[in-house]
């Protein structure tokens, strides 16, 4: 299984928590981790390197030089990092045929094997839409972007790299970003939906991109079936969407205490790896 992540310095600690949750709940999986970045220093990545080594995961660091984005619209609102996941087929080794992208603000609480083996049916991506209690948000985004597909969340993406190398063109993405700058609210996610929405297979968000803010909404949508016991037994990925994060003080949502538990597990595990071999 190959995993893609893209982070800056401030998201390295959450990335380590995510990897700890992945390791605990996917025992026996051989993983290769591909980290695309532009400004991380060697010393900043040392804890991550020790952790991956201790877990038996292979870590590959891919640094993207600024020159690659000379023709791209890059501003404070639209940093070049926003393009990394969409352009992953351009950066990753040709030997890879698919990869699973995960945001760092995620907990993996069950096996990802069935997600990894999902048939992409020739599509470029597989992703989940967060519909809420109604389809209102989807409808608004469809009108805003001029699309007819659901509005997919870009925090979990299963990518068809073989097909992506044929179809994804950086100049097309840069041109869309330049021409529609005023319309883009969540730039990389908007571009995914506007340019590639029709080439995306829908995933079940209950299983593979559960918005951790919206327990009551999921419970209502499922007719009471998807309660806490169901989530803990079936959901693969909890995604802590939004500006408020569970590692920050004052986080109010239901799964915050679970995240803090994994922070503690990650701390213990990393201390063990620092003290010597497994």
């Amino acid at each position: 299984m190959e995993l893609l992540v893209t982070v800056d310095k401030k998201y390295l600690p959450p990335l380590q928590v995510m990897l700890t949750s992945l390791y605990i709940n996917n025992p026996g999986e051989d993983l290769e981790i591909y980290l695309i970045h532009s400004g991380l220093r060697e010393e900043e990545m040392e804890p991550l390197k020790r952790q991956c080594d201790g877990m038996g995961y292979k870590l590959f660091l891919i640094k993207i030089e600024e020159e690659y984005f000379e023709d791209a619209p890059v501003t404070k609102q639209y940093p070049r990092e926003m393009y990394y996941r969409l352009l992953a087929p351009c950066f990753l080794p040709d030997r890879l045929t698919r990869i699973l992208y995960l945001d760092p603000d995620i907990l993996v609480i069950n096996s990802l094997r069935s997600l990894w083996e999902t048939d992409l049916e020739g599509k470029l991506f597989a992703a989940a839409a967060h519909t809420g209690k109604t389809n209102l948000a989807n409808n608004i985004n469809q009108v805003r972007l001029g699309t007819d597909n659901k509005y997919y969340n870009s925090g979990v993406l299963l990518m068809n790299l073989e097909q992506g190398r044929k179809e994804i063109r950086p100049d097309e993405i840069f041109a869309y970003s330049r021409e529609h700058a005023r319309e883009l609210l969540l730039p990389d996610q908007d571009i995914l939906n506007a340019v590639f929405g029709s080439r995306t297979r829908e995933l079940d968000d209950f299983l593979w991109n559960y918005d951790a803010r919206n327990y009551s909404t999921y419970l209502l949508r499922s007719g009471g079936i998807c309660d806490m016991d169901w989530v803990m037994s079936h959901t693969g990925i909890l995604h802590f969407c939004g500006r408020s994060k569970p590692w920050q003080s004052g986080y109010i949502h239901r799964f915050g205490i679970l995240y803090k538990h994994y922070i503690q597990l990650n701390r213990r595990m990393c201390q063990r790896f620092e003290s010597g071999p497994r």
Side-chain angles (χ1 to χ4, degrees):
M1 190 183 301
E2 288 85 36
L3 185 72
L4 172 65
V5 293
T6 64
V7 294
D8 57 18
K9 178 182 177 180
K10 72 176 182 178
Y11 272 96
L12 279 171
L15 172 59
Q16 290 193 256
V17 174
M18 186 267 280
L19 290 178
T20 291
S21 70
L22 176 66
Y23 178 76
I24 290 171
N25 294 300
N26 288 262
E29 290 283 6
D30 291 326
L31 258 80
E32 292 184 351
I33 313 295
Y34 292 82
L35 170 58
I36 297 179
H37 72 100
S38 58
L40 293 174
R41 299 193 303 271
E42 285 292 324
E43 60 270 23
E44 293 170 342
M45 292 185 284
E46 279 305 317
L48 177 64
K49 291 178 180 178
R50 285 196 299 271
Q51 179 185 18
C52 288
D53 184 59
M55 292 175 172
Y57 293 169
K58 295 178 182 177
L59 177 63
F60 299 90
L61 304 173
I62 301 175
K63 184 176 181 180
I64 308 300
E65 301 299 335
E66 294 184 13
E67 291 76 13
Y68 190 90
F69 293 97
E70 285 180 343
D71 297 326
V74 174
T75 66
K76 183 177 181 180
Q77 184 181 3
Y78 306 127
R80 59 181 177 272
E81 286 82 3
M82 81 175 192
Y83 299 107
Y84 289 173
R85 76 190 80 178
L86 296 179
L87 296 179
C90 305
F91 302 140
L92 294 170
D94 289 343
R95 64 180 177 80
L96 301 179
T97 60
R98 64 168 50 197
I99 202 160
L100 177 61
Y101 170 84
L102 295 180
D103 271 351
D105 57 347
I106 274 173
L107 285 181
V108 177
I109 61 172
N110 280 295
S111 172
L112 297 184
R113 175 50 55 178
S114 60
L115 171 60
W116 175 251
E117 294 177 349
T118 296
D119 184 356
L120 285 166
E121 301 175 347
K123 302 280 191 178
L124 289 173
F125 301 101
H130 292 154
T131 59
K133 294 179 183 178
T134 67
N135 277 320
L136 179 61
N138 269 320
N139 295 338
I140 290 173
N141 284 312
Q142 286 171 349
V143 171
R144 181 171 63 86
L145 298 174
T147 62
D148 55 10
N149 49 268
K150 288 185 177 180
Y151 186 74
Y152 298 111
N153 181 275
S154 61
V156 178
L157 291 174
L158 184 62
M159 302 181 178
N160 183 338
L161 296 177
E162 285 184 313
Q163 200 65 29
R165 293 183 187 107
K166 300 174 184 177
E167 297 188 32
I168 294 176
R169 297 289 178 265
D171 55 349
E172 179 184 9
I173 292 175
F174 298 159
Y176 185 90
S177 180
R178 186 178 298 107
E179 293 167 8
H180 298 270
R182 293 184 179 182
E183 304 156 31
L184 302 180
L185 301 179
L186 299 170
D188 56 335
Q189 192 161 279
D190 284 352
I191 294 171
L192 169 72
N193 283 275
V195 181
F196 303 114
S198 64
R199 303 286 290 116
T200 300
R201 178 179 176 179
E202 185 177 0
L203 296 174
D204 185 345
D205 61 321
F206 279 85
L207 296 175
W208 305 124
N209 197 337
Y210 186 106
D211 187 335
R213 301 169 296 183
N214 293 333
Y215 173 79
S216 297
T217 299
Y218 284 109
L219 189 64
L220 179 64
R221 281 173 55 195
S222 68
I225 293 174
C226 297
D227 59 10
M228 185 63 70
D229 289 338
W230 187 96
V231 172
M232 296 306 296
S233 297
H234 295 85
T235 295
I237 293 172
L238 287 178
H239 190 182
F240 293 86
C241 305
R243 292 187 177 182
S244 179
K245 300 300 182 185
W247 57 86
Q248 299 169 338
S249 61
Y251 187 79
I252 63 172
H253 300 292
R254 184 179 300 257
F255 291 98
I257 189 66
L258 179 63
Y259 193 91
K260 291 183 184 298
H261 176 62
Y262 276 96
I263 289 177
Q264 183 66 6
L265 292 177
N266 175 70
R267 183 180 299 116
R268 292 172 182 169
M269 183 176 293
C270 290
Q271 287 174 347
R272 189 169 75 248
F273 292 153
E274 288 175 3
S275 65
R278 287 181 295 170

